[in-house]
């Protein structure tokens, strides 16, 4: 059995009413109550003992009164030891407590029993506690969760010079005995400071501080007198924090090098635990106070906090900003500059001299060297009120760069800063400076990667007739770095739209740069109107080339890969064509059916090469919501992926809600406060073009059909109220139909689409792509596409299973 098991089994009084065997004996000596613990302790079931004489069950022979004759008196009752007989026949040694219950019918007995071994173990535990609190040289105090002092033993009261309440009621005293309830509010600064740290962190917070020697001890010996303090949370059985226990022990040592080594070792463990700059400077302050100073202020140049490049030389005239400060007093009476505000020091102050020279400054306060305080009356008043006797100013430098200044003050510590203190503080600040510079460099790279990634993402999504869209892009926290997630909404010909979400492997600037190249490639390929599976195949080739380039530069294998899902939605047919490359399947929220995770063929991740991709086509009702997302959404908080999919379906359960509310719901349900990976997702509500916004005509393979096509176009434009663009549209139709009749083969079709723009499409069965060229003055033809390009906003060609379609798009006049 381990120590934890022992603690769990014997964590309470064995005579406690919930853990002991309880027996009720009536005035006639008969058992009237027998609980389950009594049954497990002696083996008799309640049905077998109720109504039987207690003596025959508990003592074998004799009466309960005779068994208690040798027992000791305990308040109104008795306690002692008995040997009972188990139901199986073997003897059981028990500890017993009995209390008489007097009534008109006679005297009944309430008997409480426990195993003798448990009772003796409990007595030993209590003896250890009493010895620790009363006899050991360790000072102990107990504070509640509000950090109010509730109890203190005599050793700590003597250490801290505390006075106790005289004549306190014994009911207010702890079981230990000699401890006394302190005067309310009488919390020593060092005790309160360390207790706050333990309560905030939830773990033990040790610290070593130098203390003044008692009266009568020489000052030579006082220099080596130390006090080891520790605070740790006190928790109940259910894990709830009840308060804090603070311990202190004094010891003397003449080896100050050992003391410095211990503090340096502590600093190595506590400073630089993360790459968060604010937390790093606060960790430095936590190490310096109260071990070396009563107050510390850390001021950094604003360029450091903004993660800018710094000049590797002493700095003067730079703008300082308060990054952190800490005091042994909770209310921090020394503070003049709040955290985050500019720190201004008078000329010739120790801080200015320290930054100018790049060397530490150690001066006594209110001496001829501190005449600079005359120019700073507020700081002078604070120093005089507190009784500050010395201060130490050390530059924060790393890799030849001065990043700020650290100021330490002493007043409650009677010993002024000496050379040994200066060397120790320099060592600690130098270690912290490297951590601060690492954090600054990381923040700079992180900000650069984030700026690059953000600049490569769409600044705003286009307004389209096919879909209504909303999105969220949530970069990961600073510890994991920026990733390569991206999304896009790309308008296509024929009122269609492409929806894209992808994720590049890795983090940082390289991932963001790779993401930008892939996004540009997807946009370029989308303009060619390639089917989703063909588009992903071309992007796969690009990723392979990027991997080869990276390996050539790095002279070794480099992992370059990505996942992507590409979907094309047609608002005329209401069909969604999807292909994915190693990416999670889209989620589709139908208006009349449960949320669907369609079985889209899972292609390989981009960058493997040699494997095919497949597309799937789905027909959607108008108003359905399609969600594309990266894996960071469903894998957040280290949850199981299946749980992530279930939560995603729950978040999309109401597709009729506004898309922004759906996005907020997805973030709230699926993501923790600090995700470990980038998250990007795109939600789109499908729309359908009304049938009266699309007009289709068949064109015979006859040059005379051009005139008929112009007339059909004119009538349709008049029906739509678009007479303003009739001339240019008839010109486009005439040229495109003429080219199809002349250079292609039938069947030929003409389609007009009226949405945010006016789209004209001419389809034929040929795969020959037309080319725009500048005709010479002597050429009789070749000017058709040139004219179309001049009057249309954009034009292009897309290939279909039966041939090709040439399309041209025009802006609709504002009043139409």
């Amino acid at each position: 059995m381990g120590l934890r098991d022992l603690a769990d089994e014997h964590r309470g009084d064995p005579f406690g009413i919930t853990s002991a065997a309880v027996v009720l004996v009536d005035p006639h000596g008969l058992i009237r109550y027998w609980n389950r613990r009594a049954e497990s302790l002696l083996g008799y079931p309640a049905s077998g003992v109720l109504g039987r004489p207690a003596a025959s069950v508990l003592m074998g022979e004799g009466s309960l009164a005779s068994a208690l004759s040798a027992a000791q008196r305990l308040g109104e009752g008795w306690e002692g030891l008995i040997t009972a007989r188990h139901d199986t026949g073997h003897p059981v040694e028990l500890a017993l407590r009995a209390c008489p219950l007097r009534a008109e019918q006679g005297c009944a007995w309430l008997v409480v029993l426990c195993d003798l071994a448990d009772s003796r173990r409990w007595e030993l535990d209590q003896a250890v506690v009493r010895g620790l609190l009363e006899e050991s040289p360790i000072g102990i105090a107990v504070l509640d969760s509000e950090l109010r002092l509730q109890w203190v033993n005599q050793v700590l009261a003597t250490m801290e010079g505390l006075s106790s309440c005289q004549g306190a009621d014994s009911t207010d005293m702890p079981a230990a005995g000699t401890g006394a309830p302190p005067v309310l509010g009488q919390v020593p600064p060092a005790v309160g400071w360390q207790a706050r740290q333990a309560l905030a962190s939830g773990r033990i917070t040790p610290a070593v501080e130098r203390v003044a020697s008692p009266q009568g001890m020489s000052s030579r010996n006082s220099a080596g007198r130390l006090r080891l303090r520790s605070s740790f949370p006190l928790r109940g059985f259910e894990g709830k924090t009840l308060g804090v226990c603070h311990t202190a022990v004094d010891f003397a040592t003449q080896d100050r090098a050992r003391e410095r080594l211990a503090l340096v070792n502590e600093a190595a463990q506590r400073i630089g635990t993360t790459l968060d700059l604010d937390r790093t400077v606060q960790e430095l302050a936590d190490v310096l106070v109260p071990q070396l100073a009563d107050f510390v202020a850390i001021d950094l140049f604003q360029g450091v906090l903004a993660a800018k490049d710094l000049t590797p030389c002493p700095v003067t005239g730079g703008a300082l900003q308060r990054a952190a400060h800490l005091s042994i007093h909770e209310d921090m009476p020394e503070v003049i500059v709040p955290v985050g505000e500019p720190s201004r020091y008078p000329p010739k102050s120790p801080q200015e001299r320290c930054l100018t020279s790049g060397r530490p400054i150690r001066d006594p306060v209110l001496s001829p060297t501190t005449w600079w305080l005359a120019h700073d009356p507020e700081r002078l008043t604070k120093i005089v009120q507190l009784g500050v006797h010395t201060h130490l100013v050390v530059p924060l430098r790393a890799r030849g760069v001065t990043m700020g200044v650290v100021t330490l003050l002493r007043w409650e510590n009677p010993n002024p800063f000496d050379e040994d203190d200066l060397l120790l503080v320099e060592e600690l600040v130098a270690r912290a400076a490297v951590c601060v510079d690492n954090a600054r460099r990381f923040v700079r790279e992180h900000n650069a990667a984030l700026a690059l990634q953000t600049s490569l993402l769409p600044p705003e999504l286009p307004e389209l007739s096919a879909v209504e869209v909303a999105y969220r892009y949530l970069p990961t926290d600073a510890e994991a770095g920026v990733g390569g997630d991206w999304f896009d909404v790309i308008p296509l010909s024929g009122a269609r739209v492409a929806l894209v979400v992808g994720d590049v492997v890795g983090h940082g600037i390289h991932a963001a740069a790779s993401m930008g190249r892939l996004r540009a490639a997807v946009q370029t390929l989308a303009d060619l109107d390639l089917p989703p599976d063909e588009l992903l195949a071309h992007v796969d080739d690009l990723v392979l080339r990027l991997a080869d380039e990276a390996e050539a530069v790095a002279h070794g294998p480099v992992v370059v890969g990505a996942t992507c899902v590409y979907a094309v939605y047609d608002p005329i047919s209401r069909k969604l064509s999807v292909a994915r490359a190693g990416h999670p399947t889209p989620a589709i929220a139908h208006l009349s059916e449960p949320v669907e995770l369609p079985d889209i063929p899972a292609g390989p991740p981009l960058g493997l090469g040699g494997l095919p991709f497949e597309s799937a086509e789905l027909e959607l009702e108008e108003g359905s919501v399609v969600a594309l997302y990266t894996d960071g959404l469903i894998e957040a908080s280290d949850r199981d992926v299946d749980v992530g999919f279930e939560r995603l379906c729950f978040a999309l359960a109401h597709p009729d809600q506004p898309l922004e509310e759906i996005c907020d719901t997805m973030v709230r349900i699926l993501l923790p406060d600090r995700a470990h990976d980038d998250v990007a997702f795109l939600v789109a509500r499908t729309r359908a073009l009304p049938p009266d916004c699309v007009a289709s005509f068949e064109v015979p393979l006859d040059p005379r059909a051009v005139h008929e096509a112009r007339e059909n176009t004119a009538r349709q434009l008049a029906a739509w109220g678009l007479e303003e663009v009739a001339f240019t549209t008839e010109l486009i139709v005439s040229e495109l139909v003429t080219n199809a009749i002349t250079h292609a083969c039938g069947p030929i079709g003409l389609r007009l689409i009226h949405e945010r723009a006016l789209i004209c499409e001419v389809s034929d069965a040929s795969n020959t792509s037309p080319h725009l060229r500048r005709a010479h003055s002597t050429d009789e033809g070749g000017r058709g596409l040139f004219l179309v390009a001049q009057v249309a906003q954009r034009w292009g060609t897309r290939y279909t299973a039966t041939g090709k379609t040439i399309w041209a798009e025009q802006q609709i006049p504002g009043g139409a």
Side-chain angles (χ1 to χ4, degrees), residues 456-780:
L456 295 174
L457 293 172
E460 59 182 15
L461 298 181
E463 294 185 6
L464 303 170
S465 301
V467 291
E468 174 193 359
V469 292
Y471 70 93
R472 292 291 185 272
Y473 171 65
L474 306 171
T476 187
D477 57 10
E479 294 182 4
V482 175
D485 291 14
W486 91 90
F487 62 91
D488 219 336
V489 178
I490 307 172
L492 301 179
S493 63
R496 298 170 306 135
V497 61
L499 307 174
V500 191
V501 169
D503 184 5
V504 174
V505 174
H507 298 282
I509 293 180
H510 295 293
S514 298
M515 175 271 291
R517 299 174 73 174
L518 293 184
R519 177 172 178 256
V522 170
Q523 287 183 326
T524 302
L525 295 171
D527 283 341
L528 299 178
D529 272 316
L530 296 177
D533 53 342
E534 292 186 25
L535 182 142
L536 291 182
H538 286 288
V539 178
D540 185 45
D541 294 337
L542 173 62
V543 175
L544 286 173
R545 290 198 298 272
L546 292 178
D548 293 339
E549 293 176 4
E551 289 185 11
V553 173
H555 304 290
V558 177
V559 177
V560 177
T563 65
C564 181
V565 57
Y566 183 83
V568 175
Y569 175 69
D570 188 344
I572 298 176
S573 64
R574 294 186 289 107
K575 290 182 178 180
L576 181 74
S577 181
V578 187
R580 59 190 181 109
H583 206 84
T585 186
I588 300 178
H590 303 282
L591 293 177
S592 56
E593 298 178 8
V595 177
E596 177 187 6
L597 298 172
D599 187 16
I600 308 297
L606 300 173
L608 294 184
L611 297 174
F613 298 93
E614 298 181 51
S615 296
E617 194 170 72
L618 309 170
E619 185 170 349
L620 306 179
E621 59 181 326
E622 184 177 7
S624 301
V625 172
V626 180
L628 310 181
Y629 49 89
T630 57
D631 56 1
L633 181 69
I634 56 175
E635 296 175 359
S637 298
D638 300 325
R639 285 195 296 261
D640 185 82
V641 175
D642 293 334
V643 176
F645 280 126
E646 290 178 3
R647 291 175 177 264
L648 175 61
C649 293
F650 180 79
L652 296 173
H654 300 283
D656 54 335
Q657 291 182 338
L659 292 185
E660 290 295 330
E661 293 185 11
I662 292 177
C663 290
D664 292 339
T665 302
M666 293 171 66
V667 171
R668 184 175 63 253
I669 292 178
L670 287 155
L671 297 180
D673 293 335
R674 294 177 66 90
H676 301 292
D677 193 9
D678 279 5
V679 173
F681 61 86
L682 184 69
V683 292
R685 176 174 286 120
T686 61
R687 295 169 176 161
L689 281 183
D692 58 357
C693 290
V694 181
S696 300
F697 308 95
E698 292 184 4
V699 180
L701 197 63
D702 185 347
R704 290 174 296 181
V706 176
H707 177 69
E708 182 181 353
R710 292 170 64 98
E711 288 183 345
N712 291 336
T713 300
R715 283 195 299 270
Q716 187 61 55
L717 295 180
W720 286 339
L722 299 178
E723 292 86 352
E724 282 190 57
V725 294
F727 174 77
T728 56
T729 306
E730 289 181 35
L731 176 62
I732 292 173
V733 169
S734 177
E735 295 297 335
L736 295 183
V737 170
T738 300
N739 282 345
I741 295 174
T742 304
H743 303 289
C745 56
I748 299 174
L750 169 64
R751 186 168 72 163
L752 302 176
I753 303 172
H754 179 202
E755 46 123 24
R756 294 178 182 270
L758 178 62
I759 302 171
C760 174
E761 296 182 343
V762 175
S763 303
D764 58 57
S766 170
N767 290 323
T768 303
S769 176
H771 297 284
L772 179 66
R773 68 184 182 90
R774 185 180 296 276
H776 297 290
S777 59
T778 57
D779 292 343
E780 294 182 1

Side-chain angles (χ1 to χ4, degrees), residues 214-233:
Q215 292 184 353
M217 182 179 292
S218 66
S219 59
R220 180 178 179 180
N221 292 333
S222 67
R225 190 170 183 83
L226 304 175
R227 179 168 296 164
L228 174 63
R229 297 184 182 272
S230 296
S231 292
F232 53 90

Side-chain angles (χ1 to χ4, degrees), residues 96 202 246 261 297 364 401 411 537 565 575 714 756:
L96 174 146
H246 178 86
L261 182 61
V401 175
W411 65 92
V565 57
K575 290 182 178 180
R756 294 178 182 270

